[in-house]
Amino acid sequence: MSTTPLISQMLAIDGGSPVRQTLLPYGRQSIDEDDIQAVVEVLRSAWLTTGPKVGEFEEAFAKRVDARYAVSFSSGTAALHGAAFAAGLKAGDEAITSPLTFAATANCVLYQGAAPVFADVCRDTLNVDTEQVRARITARTRAILPVDYAGHPADLDAILEIAQGHGLVVIEDACHALGAEYRGRRVGSIADMTVFSFHPVKHITTGEGGMVATNNAGYAETLRRFRNHGISSDARQRQSAAQWHYEMVLLGFNYRLTDIGCALGLSQLQKLEANLARRREIAVRYTTAFSKMPGIMLPTVRDEVNPAWHLYPIRLNLEKLSADRAQVFRALRAENIGVNVHYIPVHLHSYYRERFGYKGAEFPVCEDAYQRLISLPMFHSMTDRDVADVVAAVSKVCLAFGR
Ligand SMILES: *Cc1c(COP(=O)(O)O)cnc(C)c1O
């Protein structure tokens, strides 16, 4: 035994007392009184949906991400579907994406009747590996969907260069990356279309909601139609023009975000800077606290990016621990730290296994990472005490399982 001054404390999972008494979630929304007031105002107004708040939110959002247009949707998934439609994905086409993501990234390709093709991720960022993308391009490839895992932008310049060389559309899944920067540019201004989510665990929330940002006027128009049944004008335009005529020009959906949601989004957007600053502060605290802990590997940040820290995913150094990820996970949960795992690789879900014949071992970097990943709590309203509890619990568990 070394002469470490640290004494191993009894883990809560073994009957010891937990680091904290109440469960700290891995992510949650922050709703202030002004958010509530913004929603109440809409509830008292004439427009609950298709009203003025929609355009206001879209305009403010586009400005924040430095895009010419932003089109709101009823969820991030609906926004991904809209982007896949606007990109022209159809039966017989392929789209390349990361397997280390939420299933919706790949599902939106399937919605269009096209086939998602996975490419393995980089060891450091866990974002899709550009060389693996290049190797998977065929005559059928039509789009690339990089995911900004945990809020760290993907290798966008390299991906755009490949796309330009092959005439492909880049749809960036930035559901983790609102407020992130890549080579000094804002995520939302870089890819052909960039998709965001406003689910309550994300940076800002509208309850459910999503957005596509683009600089392309044609995509913006198609996206607006797609989210409104494929109709070429909206209800308010018709009302103000005293018109009853409308034209359905393509097969769309009702994927509209309500004025209630948009008012909440507008109010939330005003607090994005504070939210990002707090997340970056928490990331620094974690990184400082864990940098010398032998049992864990910290998320890497490449020089050219400023991540948005939706997640703070650590990877267990299993070679230095006497426990596997499941045991560490359960031990941290017993300490009342609401850790999570992002993600079960998409190709390993039974739907993908059965439909496409995946058996595991297809994407070794992704699958190895999956065995080790644990997301620590990361959200705007975490107190310093919450952060200290996470640090204490991770230290306690790593010490107990160290070897
Ligand atoms: C949250 C998320 C989505 C889906 O967003 P919803 O708003 O929940 O539909 C898609 N992709 C990624 C990577 C996400 O994290």
Side-chain angles (χ1 to χ4, degrees):
M1 276 295 291
S2 68
T3 54
T4 166
L6 292 168
I7 309 289
S8 182
Q9 296 164 270
M10 193 190 280
L11 297 178
I13 201 169
D14 295 327
S17 54
V19 162
R20 53 184 284 137
Q21 292 308 311
T22 56
L23 185 75
L24 178 68
Y26 88 90
R28 63 158 294 159
Q29 72 276 14
S30 302
I31 300 289
D32 302 326
E33 204 46 47
D34 57 338
D35 296 312
I36 294 168
Q37 278 315 310
V39 169
V40 168
E41 234 172 78
V42 167
L43 290 173
R44 295 188 200 285
S45 80
W47 296 96
L48 299 188
T49 189
T50 72
K53 290 295 171 195
V54 180
E56 269 181 59
F57 180 40
E58 290 174 339
E59 217 168 283
F61 190 91
K63 201 166 165 210
R64 175 57 184 83
V65 302
D66 241 351
R68 225 166 284 159
Y69 311 98
V71 181
S72 59
F73 280 82
S74 52
S75 69
T77 303
L80 280 165
H81 188 187
F85 178 86
L89 278 177
K90 58 181 189 317
D93 291 342
E94 295 174 353
I96 302 172
T97 191
S98 166
L100 196 67
T101 183
F102 185 54
T105 319
N107 291 350
C108 76
V109 176
L110 292 176
Y111 296 160
Q112 285 303 112
V117 171
F118 298 106
D120 208 349
V121 295
C122 302
R123 229 167 252 292
D124 63 339
T125 58
L126 301 180
N127 282 328
V128 77
D129 183 329
T130 313
E131 289 317 307
Q132 295 293 323
V133 170
R134 203 189 294 279
R136 281 175 171 69
I137 291 176
T138 71
R140 288 195 285 269
T141 310
R142 195 174 187 93
I144 307 173
L145 287 91
V147 178
D148 301 326
Y149 179 75
H152 185 297
D155 209 346
L156 296 170
D157 278 349
I159 289 166
L160 284 164
E161 196 186 309
I162 294 176
Q164 270 149 21
H166 293 83
L168 312 177
V169 182
V170 176
I171 302 170
E172 181 184 353
D173 182 338
C175 288
H176 296 184
L178 175 55
E181 288 158 2
Y182 174 83
R183 297 190 198 279
R185 288 174 284 158
R186 291 180 175 190
V187 162
S189 67
I190 304 167
D192 295 306
M193 287 178 270
T194 309
V195 177
F196 299 91
S197 164
F198 308 131
H199 181 278
V201 295
K202 306 292 164 64
H203 287 76
I204 68 170
T205 189
T206 59
E208 298 279 1
M211 193 77 86
V212 182
T214 181
N215 288 325
N216 181 310
Y219 289 149
E221 179 172 59
T222 302
L223 290 163
R224 275 189 217 106
R225 290 172 173 182
F226 185 76
R227 63 129 187 244
N228 187 33
H229 310 278
I231 292 170
S232 60
S233 64
D234 73 25
R236 215 152 48 95
Q237 284 171 344
R238 286 196 299 279
Q239 194 192 55
S240 60
Q243 270 186 355
W244 55 268
H245 183 264
Y246 64 85
E247 189 84 25
M248 188 196 127
V249 295
L250 53 86
L251 185 61
F253 290 77
N254 180 350
Y255 277 162
R256 295 184 304 253
L257 186 56
T258 63
D259 280 60
I260 303 166
C262 287
L264 181 54
L266 263 170
S267 174
Q268 290 261 301
L269 194 58
Q270 290 175 20
K271 288 169 271 194
L272 177 62
E273 304 319 316
N275 186 320
L276 288 163
R278 179 59 179 156
R279 286 171 188 266
R280 287 169 180 150
E281 198 172 78
I282 294 167
V284 169
R285 284 185 189 225
Y286 280 160
T287 301
T288 308
F290 299 137
S291 61
K292 291 197 183 65
M293 210 169 286
I296 60 185
M297 289 157 59
L298 300 178
T300 12
V301 178
R302 290 196 185 171
D303 289 342
E304 68 271 21
V305 312
N306 186 9
W309 295 110
H310 164 56
L311 302 173
Y312 191 93
I314 59 169
R315 271 176 277 178
L316 300 178
N317 191 347
L318 295 171
E319 296 70 19
K320 295 221 162 74
L321 295 171
S322 61
D324 63 12
R325 192 264 312 278
Q327 288 169 293
V328 173
F329 184 95
R330 280 197 297 271
L332 286 168
R333 279 286 178 95
E335 301 296 337
N336 275 323
I337 305 301
V339 286
N340 216 320
V341 173
H342 297 93
Y343 287 95
I344 299 166
V346 178
H347 67 287
L348 299 182
H349 283 294
S350 54
Y351 181 85
Y352 278 84
R353 285 178 188 259
E354 283 159 28
R355 183 162 168 183
F356 298 101
Y358 291 114
K359 292 181 164 60
E362 286 89 2
F363 307 104
V365 181
C366 168
E367 291 173 38
D368 175 72
Y370 170 59
Q371 298 302 323
R372 301 166 183 273
L373 279 167
I374 290 185
S375 298
L376 301 182
M378 171 61 86
F379 54 94
H380 179 187
S381 61
M382 274 180 82
T383 64
D384 289 351
R385 180 61 205 262
D386 293 335
V387 178
D389 286 345
V390 176
V391 170
V394 170
S395 308
K396 180 181 173 184
V397 168
C398 281
L399 188 65
F401 289 135
R403 63 168 175 212

